Amino acid sequence: MRIDKDLVAASATPLVLGILAEGDLYGYAILKRVGELSGGSMQWTDGMLYPLLHRLERFGYVNATWGTSDAGRRRKHYAITQTGREALAERQQQWTVVADALRQVWHASPTPPAVTEGWA
């Protein structure tokens, strides 16, 4: 299944902050975790993740530190800050409102017909 880029963009910040709330990670591990959480439906690229991480760092939501992997390779590790945890809590509240509204609309409306190839 292809997930619309607008939906991916809207969910990227709370998803990354939520992942980092579980513990510090380096970029590739974040990419793998996104794939795991989505059952493989969301396959982010470096070109999407690293600009987001840099933006989150500028906002003060994450800190980045250089470390060394078990193989001796330098990696940048990302950790959520207190400001990031506060932003995550706010985003969780916002997503709860949106998800509840969608759930109500979808349960009140008849199921739409399946999308035919070529329609979007």
Side-chain angles (χ1 to χ4, degrees):
M1 163 182 31
R2 184 186 142 296
I3 299 175
D4 185 80
K5 68 180 181 176
D6 292 335
L7 189 54
V8 171
S11 63
T13 293
L15 187 53
V16 169
L17 291 176
I19 288 169
L20 291 175
E22 297 174 343
D24 303 357
L25 289 174
Y26 57 97
Y28 179 71
I30 295 170
L31 292 173
K32 282 182 57 175
R33 186 73 177 124
V34 168
E36 291 168 3
L37 291 169
S38 68
S41 293
M42 295 173 70
Q43 296 296 321
W44 289 3
T45 63
D46 292 355
M48 191 229 155
L49 177 64
Y50 288 104
L52 172 62
L53 287 170
H54 295 152
R55 188 170 55 252
L56 296 177
E57 195 173 3
R58 278 195 315 273
F59 292 158
Y61 295 169
V62 301
N63 284 328
T65 56
W66 284 100
T68 306
S69 72
D70 294 338
R73 187 171 171 214
R74 284 179 43 105
R75 290 184 179 161
K76 209 174 209 184
H77 288 256
Y78 296 90
I80 192 169
T81 64
Q82 183 58 39
T83 303
R85 289 184 189 282
E86 293 165 6
L88 176 59
E90 185 176 323
R91 297 286 175 103
Q92 286 172 323
Q93 291 174 346
Q94 294 171 5
W95 274 95
T96 297
V97 171
V98 170
D100 287 346
L102 287 171
R103 196 172 3 267
Q104 289 179 53
V105 166
W106 290 336
H107 286 273
S109 302
T111 305
V115 176
T116 305
E117 189 68 31
W119 291 34

